[in-house]
Amino acid sequence: KQWYQRRVRGNIKQWQKDILMNQEVINVNQDPLGKAGRRVLQDPKKHYEYWTRVLADGSYAVVFYRKDSGGLPRTYKATFEQLKIEAKSATVRDLYLHRDLG
């Protein structure tokens, strides 16, 4: 919070504030189980990575990190096996859009 307060005094854009103050992301970050996330999948050219983290309620947080800056929409897929998650189905929520995707 101190870092955010220092940045606010400077020039912070609304999208930056939205990321820093996103309560859903903060809740995952501050999950009481406290387990670290781990990279479970990386493409050979190192353009993207998938990270997973077990949460206190037994669910998983999955982060897709795209490193390239091409800006074009792309489709990426990963199986539960690739993500090292023992599941047959999942509910997906986009924490930045604040909506369930299915």
Side-chain angles (χ1 to χ4, degrees), residues 3-95:
W3 178 85
Y4 172 71
Q5 290 171 344
R6 280 186 264 139
R7 281 287 291 161
V8 170
R9 289 188 208 134
N11 191 13
I12 186 168
K13 294 176 175 46
Q14 184 61 45
W15 68 267
Q16 294 167 316
K17 182 179 176 184
D18 292 344
I19 290 172
L20 292 170
M21 301 300 289
N22 184 320
Q23 192 59 52
E24 290 186 83
V25 173
I26 292 168
N27 290 345
V28 169
N29 179 267
Q30 300 297 315
D31 182 73
L33 187 59
K35 284 201 150 197
R38 62 186 179 127
R39 184 175 61 203
V40 293
L41 181 62
Q42 180 178 31
D43 86 302
K45 296 180 183 178
K46 299 187 178 177
H47 292 285
Y48 67 87
E49 301 174 350
Y50 283 94
W51 290 69
T52 62
R53 178 183 185 187
V54 179
L55 303 177
D57 66 0
S59 65
Y60 286 83
V62 177
V63 173
F64 173 74
Y65 174 53
R66 181 176 159 186
K67 295 179 178 183
D68 69 342
S69 59
L72 300 173
R74 298 191 181 162
T75 300
Y76 296 94
K77 296 181 181 181
T79 65
F80 290 125
E81 182 179 5
Q82 289 172 312
L83 297 174
K84 299 179 179 31
I85 295 174
E86 294 182 29
K88 293 185 184 346
S89 65
T91 299
V92 177
R93 181 162 180 83
D94 186 318
L95 301 184

